[in-house]
Amino acid sequence: MIKALLLCLAAFSVCSWAQTSKPHFVAKPSDKSVLGSQRDSSKSKQVKSAPNQVYHYQNADGVVVFSDRPPETGHYQVRIYDCYACKPSSNINWQSIPLFTQQYNEDIRLAARTYQLEAALIRAVIHAESSFRPAAISKTGAQGLMQLMPATAKELGVTDAFKPSQNIQAGSRYLAQLLKRFDGDITLACAAYNAGASRVEQYRGVPPFPETKAYVERVNILLQRYRKA
């Protein structure tokens, strides 16, 4: 599974993927959110790989590397996460999980005014997508707070998907487009954000995918809670 993830990430650095369900952005080097480092290999124990994680770092030649093992020396970043609210078997209590009510206030308020969205909805989607982790990358390559992917992000003028202000603006604009497309129906717009607008139209409602059904239900729970926060 890890090998498949690495092949996908390597492909992102060469060309854009075909448009899929979410806004896309090409993987790129970043000096943000360094999560760890290794000492010289002669002074440390053998490094073990972790399941479902990809390590992102630059080698001695300055080449960007995506690997299932951290480097023997130097800084690295863990860059792979799953969609936070998409796992059907999640044991998280979405009715009581702590909310993020203060993070990125200015960016969220600006996006809400610009695209006539509820700030609570933007927060709910960010929470569901990345749990407010600006450096998050999914297994499909979606990046940043609102999990932007290459094709749509390019259309929306994104140059750095890890920059919260750009990510929130682009994700909110895309969400507003989906709301317009589905006549203001938040459930269908969120289903489209997760699975793709064409899938929602194909099934004439929320697609029967366990991940999408779980995602939509949890976004709605978070939305109600952020409205009251």
Side-chain angles (χ1 to χ4, degrees), residues 9-123:
L9 286 170
F12 287 154
S13 63
V14 178
C15 63
S16 296
W17 283 60
Q19 186 173 1
T20 57
S21 59
K22 293 182 184 175
H24 290 211
F25 194 81
V26 178
K28 58 182 286 188
S30 173
D31 59 359
K32 304 178 180 67
S33 303
V34 173
L35 300 180
S37 63
Q38 294 289 347
R39 296 180 179 179
D40 186 273
S41 59
S42 63
K43 298 180 182 179
S44 60
K45 296 180 180 180
Q46 184 177 4
V47 177
K48 296 181 179 180
S49 60
N52 298 322
Q53 289 186 343
V54 171
Y55 298 90
H56 173 207
Y57 58 92
Q58 286 188 337
N59 65 18
D61 297 322
V63 176
V64 176
V65 177
F66 292 99
S67 174
D68 62 346
R69 300 175 66 85
E72 293 182 351
T73 60
H75 295 292
Y76 62 87
Q77 298 167 308
V78 179
R79 304 294 280 176
I80 290 295
Y81 304 93
D82 288 323
C83 166
Y84 190 61
C86 294
K87 189 176 180 181
S89 61
S90 171
N91 59 6
I92 293 173
N93 185 337
W94 298 93
Q95 296 286 358
S96 62
I97 187 173
L99 300 178
F100 298 89
T101 59
Q102 301 301 318
Q103 289 80 353
Y104 310 110
N105 268 334
E106 292 185 9
D107 293 322
I108 290 173
R109 288 171 183 164
L110 176 60
R113 288 196 304 269
T114 302
Y115 302 112
Q116 298 183 331
L117 296 173
E118 286 185 83
L121 177 59
I122 298 173
R123 284 195 179 276

Side-chain angles (χ1 to χ4, degrees), residues 198-221:
S198 61
R199 293 290 181 88
V200 173
E201 292 170 341
Q202 175 186 352
Y203 289 100
R204 298 182 180 181
V206 177
F209 311 136
E211 294 81 3
T212 301
K213 292 170 71 175
Y215 174 86
V216 169
E217 178 183 358
R218 291 160 184 171
V219 169
N220 276 305
I221 291 172

Side-chain angles (χ1 to χ4, degrees), residues 22-23 25 79 81 104 125-138 141-149 160-164 166-168 193:
K22 293 182 184 175
F25 194 81
R79 304 294 280 176
Y81 304 93
Y104 310 110
V125 171
I126 294 174
H127 196 151
E129 289 288 340
S130 69
S131 189
F132 280 78
R133 295 176 295 195
I137 303 180
S138 78
Q143 298 185 351
L145 290 169
M146 297 188 77
Q147 292 292 272
L148 306 180
M149 297 181 68
D160 185 354
F162 298 118
K163 187 173 182 179
Q166 289 193 35
N167 194 291
I168 292 170
Y193 198 96

